[in-house]
Amino acid sequence: MSRTRSLPTVRTDLLRQVGGRNDPLSRVSRVSDWPRVRLHVVTGKGGTGKSTVAAGLALGLASRGKDVLLCEVEGRQGIARMFDVDPLPYAERRIATGLRSDGPADDTAGVVHALHIDAEAALMEYLAMYYRLGRAGRALDRFGVIEFATTIAPGVRDVLLTGKVYEAVQRNSRNKGAREYDAVVLDAPPTGRISQFLNVSDELAGLAKVGPVKHQADTMMTLFRSPRTAIHFVTVLEEMPVQETADGIAQVRAAGLPVGGVVVNLVRPRDLRVKDLATARKGELDRAAISSDLTAARVDVSNGLVDGLLGEARDHAVRRALEDGQRKLVKDLGLPTYELPRLAQGVDLGGLYELAACLRDGGMA
Ligand SMILES: Nc1ncnc2c1ncn2[C@@H]1O[C@H](COP(=O)(O)OP(=O)(O)OP(=O)(O)O)[C@@H](O)[C@H]1O
Ligand SMILES: [Mg+2]
């Protein structure tokens, strides 16, 4: 069952803390940095928020009035969990609508559909489409041929997954009965696998040198290498993910694939002044002032409590300094960069809409 959710209000206070380009108060809805892109591929180091960002980007694009298909290929049902709907089948399901913008020219929200792509179902569909193997395809499935074809060669598996994404992107009015989308967002494999995943020609090189399969792989590569595709990298402000982002960008470029923007996720609030941070880092915050503020707030003050708070302040200040160092490295990558706040309450559906508003107003969507 698919359900479309009503729209929560966006907490502007949280967004404002992140500051910079994402400040919704300076909004007048910036234009998108990627107006020509039909396929947004979201990659990054494991656990940095790829799935969250892909979902937020899909909602952000829908908030600009676009109809969007959000695809996942890792077989984990992350989209269903994030949008709080039943597990997705191999079929396009309507899961959400975008936020309405304040602007008068832009008051129709788009719709997000979601698709869970699995290689076996994609192969069956492919056989049915190109070889009209309706019942024969099902027989192949029974004999285990489909499983054989999709597990024996990892390259074939990737080509089936990307083939379905390609099919969704290039649909047009000639594809009767199939829904057309303004944009497709792919929650993609992590940085270490992304070039190989999209490089279908190489994956098939040993298998198909000529003929229709080779031709299809070439057509897919033409889309993936074109300005209609953007490969975005998600990172957090820590050394390893930032380094992996830099390496990933180099690999993607070397494969002739188009690099998009960098999303810096899980950003801590930047609500302390530089001077106060430096004082906290040195452990020189004013104990007496903290004690008297706590007393004024009717808190039972003990030395242990104040020590604990000073320790936390120092840790926070140290982490902020490390983050600022990593932020500079991200800036030096020279790509459009979008920051997303660390949502204290985790990412529920309301949180996804908050992140979507950040991405839209920051110009990524
Ligand atoms: N901005 C955020 N604020 C708070 N929590 C977040 C934020 N972004 C992501 N998370 C949380 O971090 C965890 C990892 O996020 P997510 O699943 O999107 O990462 P991923 O890169 O897709 O991971 P994997 O590599 O396992 O696919 C999830 O619990 C998610 O809810
Ligand atoms: Mg994920």
Side-chain angles (χ1 to χ4, degrees):
M1 186 186 67
S2 73
R3 283 166 280 171
T4 305
R5 297 315 184 93
S6 59
L7 308 181
T9 47
V10 171
R11 289 201 27 214
T12 49
D13 55 332
L14 255 176
L15 310 186
R16 210 173 314 131
Q17 284 177 11
V18 179
R21 303 171 70 172
N22 292 327
D23 186 345
L25 299 183
S26 66
R27 112 160 123 200
V28 203
S29 254
R30 265 185 54 127
V31 290
S32 168
D33 294 339
W34 314 97
R36 294 177 62 201
V37 171
R38 291 282 304 277
L39 173 60
H40 295 269
V41 177
V42 180
T43 184
K45 184 172 171 9
T48 51
K50 295 180 294 298
S51 302
T52 308
V53 169
L57 178 58
L59 279 177
L61 290 163
S63 303
R64 279 205 190 271
K66 297 196 171 183
D67 286 326
V68 184
L69 181 67
L70 171 62
C71 300
E72 66 184 352
V73 290
E74 304 254 88
R76 288 198 273 149
Q77 292 291 350
I79 298 177
R81 250 193 323 278
M82 281 186 288
F83 285 87
D84 194 20
V85 297
D86 293 336
L88 296 168
Y90 182 66
E92 289 152 41
R93 286 286 149 88
R94 178 184 172 118
I95 52 165
T97 44
L99 283 169
R100 275 160 185 258
S101 148
D102 303 338
D106 191 19
D107 60 358
T108 333
V111 173
V112 179
H113 282 74
L115 175 64
H116 175 89
I117 306 179
D118 78 83
E120 288 76 18
L123 179 55
M124 290 287 280
E125 184 185 50
Y126 181 89
L127 293 173
M129 212 152 51
Y130 287 95
Y131 300 103
R132 309 202 190 293
L133 281 181
R135 230 179 309 144
R138 283 196 290 281
L140 289 178
D141 196 18
R142 243 193 346 270
F143 293 133
V145 173
I146 303 286
E147 203 196 332
F148 175 79
T150 51
T151 51
I152 199 80
V156 171
R157 192 177 182 82
D158 285 353
V159 173
L160 288 163
L161 299 171
T162 46
K164 181 63 192 174
V165 173
Y166 170 81
E167 184 272 319
V169 176
Q170 59 76 53
R171 275 180 206 162
N172 55 38
S173 50
R174 277 174 300 162
N175 301 92
K176 290 189 196 64
R179 184 178 292 277
E180 273 182 68
Y181 297 100
D182 301 310
V184 174
V185 178
L186 174 62
D187 177 6
T191 332
R193 290 219 310 120
I194 191 65
S195 320
Q196 193 193 7
F197 180 74
L198 292 175
N199 224 332
V200 276
S201 305
D202 281 5
E203 299 246 9
L204 283 180
L207 294 163
K209 292 203 169 51
V210 288
V213 173
K214 166 84 172 96
H215 175 71
Q216 267 162 26
D218 289 346
T219 328
M220 279 159 65
M221 279 324 294
T222 306
L223 167 69
F224 296 157
R225 293 211 163 111
S226 78
R228 294 202 302 154
T229 297
I231 301 167
H232 306 293
F233 291 80
V234 183
T235 189
V236 293
L237 292 174
E238 290 167 21
E239 200 177 324
M240 293 269 287
V242 169
Q243 184 59 49
E244 196 169 314
T245 303
D247 295 346
I249 289 168
Q251 270 169 22
V252 161
R253 283 210 177 111
L257 294 160
V259 172
V262 177
V263 180
V264 178
N265 190 22
L266 293 161
V267 173
R268 289 193 169 77
R270 290 201 275 166
D271 41 9
L272 295 179
R273 289 180 306 174
V274 174
K275 198 167 120 253
D276 295 334
L277 283 170
T279 314
R281 214 163 42 237
K282 286 186 258 165
E284 289 172 0
L285 287 174
D286 186 344
R287 279 189 83 91
I290 291 172
S291 289
S292 69
D293 282 356
L294 287 170
T295 308
R298 294 167 193 256
V299 175
D300 267 343
V301 182
S302 67
N303 272 338
L305 177 70
V306 177
D307 286 343
L309 287 173
L310 289 175
E312 272 183 38
R314 192 170 46 237
D315 288 351
H316 176 80
V318 167
R319 266 200 310 264
R320 277 284 319 274
L322 291 173
E323 286 189 353
D324 288 345
Q326 296 302 320
R327 184 177 276 110
K328 168 135 195 340
L329 294 178
V330 170
K331 187 161 173 264
D332 291 346
L333 295 170
L335 296 170
T337 301
Y338 314 92
E339 294 206 357
L340 291 178
R342 174 188 295 269
L343 300 180
Q345 76 281 18
V347 186
D348 56 6
L349 189 64
L352 274 185
Y353 276 102
E354 284 174 28
L355 300 179
C358 282
L359 293 175
R360 180 193 60 185
D361 300 332
M364 187 184 187

